Amino acid sequence: MVSWLLLVACGGEEPTQPVVPEVEPFEAASDEARLLTRASLDLRGRRPTPEELDGIEADPDRYESYLAEFVRDEAFGARVRDIYSLEFLTRMDRWNATANDFGLEDEASFATSVGEEPLRMLERIAVEDLSYVELMTGDWTMANETLGAIYPLDYPEDGEGWLPVHWTDGRPKAGVLATNALWWRYGTTQANANRGRANAVSRMFLCTDFLEATVEFDRDVNLLDEDAVLNAIKENEGCVTCHEPLEPMSAFFWGFYYRDTRYEITDYRPEYELLWNEYGGAEPAFNGEPGYSLADLAWSIAADSRYPMCAVSTLFSALVGRPIGAGDGEDLSASREAFLAADLRLRPLFEAILATDTWRESEGVRMVTPDQMASQVEALTGFRFMSEGYDMMQSDRVGVRTLAGGVDGDLVTTVATETTPTMLLVHQRLAEAAARHVVTHDFESPDEAYLLTEIDSTTNPVNGPERMIRQVQLLHRAVFGRTVEKDGPEVQANLDLWDQLYRIDASTHSAWAGLITALLRDPDFLLY
């Protein structure tokens, strides 16, 4: 490399225009590195370390042992929450109540804590190797200080962070079905009579969505006439097809009916459990078996053969990144058998899915979700995009989640699968902020450096060309999982960019920040 600094040092003339070098196409990561990168992003939300990449490239047979390590990594729980947030859709930050309604001042904590409750339950089940049945039958929930202050819970006075706790308002022991978050998210009206809630439960835990059923019904029914609609539900053949199993399920949820939202929204109301009778609904039952409380429904779902199969199908689809297809049957069955053999524990299910040919040999690339973008940037740079207590990549109230291609749990319920202008703008701003942060941190705390481990703020092409080359090589290994040669086109192009950035204000800080920004904005960092 011949930089403009070297030319000036040797008496040469500084070029008046930036030089854009001609470079060969950059080399792709090895197949082993790409596979491990996909696994790490799916299980930990971050890219593998250079040491892990070296290990898999030296011995590809270590792949399954790495899976076992990844599902025991401290970041695995957060990935469980992120993955299932797209299924539960409770990770909202706009609710029908505010922190002020409960005498709290921290609106950010309130807005983001409410929807985390069922996700934290699932995380605990995963990381503590509890049976997935516990999600339906557990007599506990999860809460932090904010929820402990407003919900009827036995959250300890000196408690800190998310802890398993118990309800004190007499609600049935029905696991996730007894959470406030689920029914704040999936509300109801008197006319709807909990049908939307029953369908949400059926969709999430039994993979049966009544709204997707193909039925024909009498279009002469006056949908504006409430009595005519109720009559059609019971007598119209087309309507009965769906409503016959749906109506009895709906009857279990009246304890979460809120006549006065502001004052009743935090508590379960046992006195409302029989409202199904008052509003002309069917008696509580599931699959034809009568029940009396929400706990009966939860236990019946847990005993249904569809429950474990739905768990497998949901996670399989999420990790493969597409709906289940006709050719997935063999691997889907193998994953189900692994799940059953492991007593419905989630860690073995994750490992089984990532060991299938379907996952390992999937063609094409996937785009990282906003959650993965945020977590991999944080792992590499220590930077988390926060403002006023909100995680900007997980918020829409003040953040950029949907702009980045994410879901808000309400109006936007599926992640973007193609890039959009706003997504690229968010990625640009995130990359710029993270790059500035990591350069400042690494120069000020070299013993705890994230990325800049080979150079300091005084290093330049004159006093440390070899160190700069080595640093660029390490950046490519960390960010892309690629090993680049010291005289390769990647190194040359990056150092030329560094030179051009340094010309602007003679700041090594700015030059490295600009270079790292460019790397984090590379398409290879958004795709995996």
Side-chain angles (χ1 to χ4, degrees), residues 91 93-94 108 112 370-371 373-375 378 383-408 426-427 429-430 433:
R91 189 173 271 175
D93 57 7
R94 293 187 180 94
T112 56
D371 291 325
M373 171 55 65
S375 59
E378 182 180 19
F383 177 78
R384 193 80 186 187
F385 196 2
M386 303 291 296
S387 178
E388 301 178 0
Y390 288 91
D391 186 328
M392 300 291 279
M393 299 295 284
Q394 292 187 346
S395 168
D396 295 291
R397 179 186 292 266
V398 298
V400 295
R401 175 172 52 185
T402 51
L403 294 178
V407 305
D408 64 6
V426 169
H427 289 165
R429 293 292 183 253
L430 177 63

Side-chain angles (χ1 to χ4, degrees), residues 254-273:
W254 283 105
F256 285 102
Y257 179 62
Y258 310 120
R259 282 176 162 159
D260 189 328
T261 300
R262 182 173 182 180
Y263 297 102
E264 294 186 345
I265 197 169
T266 60
D267 294 355
Y268 182 81
R269 301 287 171 176
E271 64 270 25
Y272 290 173
E273 289 178 348

Side-chain angles (χ1 to χ4, degrees), residues 143-212:
N144 60 3
E145 299 93 328
T146 297
L147 300 187
I150 64 175
Y151 288 173
L153 297 165
D154 59 359
Y155 191 87
E157 292 185 6
D158 59 349
E160 295 182 2
W162 288 92
L163 301 172
V165 292
H166 301 86
W167 296 101
T168 59
D169 61 353
R171 70 183 64 196
K173 297 176 175 60
V176 72
L177 300 189
T179 60
N180 280 345
L182 215 55
W183 310 128
W184 284 26
R185 164 59 181 88
Y186 298 99
T188 192
T189 62
Q190 178 181 322
N192 179 259
N194 298 304
R195 297 183 186 97
R197 289 172 164 176
N199 188 55
V201 169
S202 182
R203 172 182 61 82
M204 288 187 288
F205 304 114
L206 300 175
C207 291
T208 300
D209 190 339
F210 292 98
L211 295 178
E212 294 183 353

Side-chain angles (χ1 to χ4, degrees), residues 246-388:
L246 183 65
E247 295 296 313
M249 280 186 67
S250 305
F252 286 105
F253 299 102
W254 283 105
F256 285 102
Y257 179 62
Y258 310 120
R259 282 176 162 159
D260 189 328
T261 300
R262 182 173 182 180
Y263 297 102
E264 294 186 345
I265 197 169
T266 60
D267 294 355
Y268 182 81
R269 301 287 171 176
E271 64 270 25
Y272 290 173
E273 289 178 348
L274 298 180
L275 284 180
W276 59 267
N277 192 31
E278 180 178 331
Y279 294 123
E283 295 185 19
F286 179 77
N287 282 351
E289 292 294 326
Y292 301 95
S293 76
L294 195 61
D296 294 331
L297 175 62
W299 279 90
S300 296
I301 289 174
D304 193 299
S305 61
R306 292 174 294 172
Y307 180 63
M309 191 61 216
C310 183
V312 174
S313 299
T314 297
L315 188 58
F316 192 96
S317 178
L319 292 173
V320 172
R322 58 167 173 75
I324 292 173
D328 297 329
E330 185 176 341
D331 282 343
L332 199 60
S333 296
S335 300
R336 178 179 181 272
E337 292 306 311
F339 190 40
L340 294 174
D343 297 323
L344 304 192
R345 290 180 294 115
L346 286 172
R347 273 196 178 112
L349 177 57
F350 274 86
E351 291 181 72
I353 293 173
L354 266 66
T356 63
D357 290 340
T358 300
W359 188 92
R360 294 186 59 158
E361 298 172 4
S362 59
E363 297 181 357
V365 293
R366 292 171 55 188
M367 188 165 60
V368 295
T369 64
D371 291 325
Q372 288 172 309
M373 171 55 65
S375 59
Q376 69 170 338
V377 166
E378 182 180 19
L380 283 171
T381 68
F383 177 78
R384 193 80 186 187
F385 196 2
M386 303 291 296
S387 178
E388 301 178 0

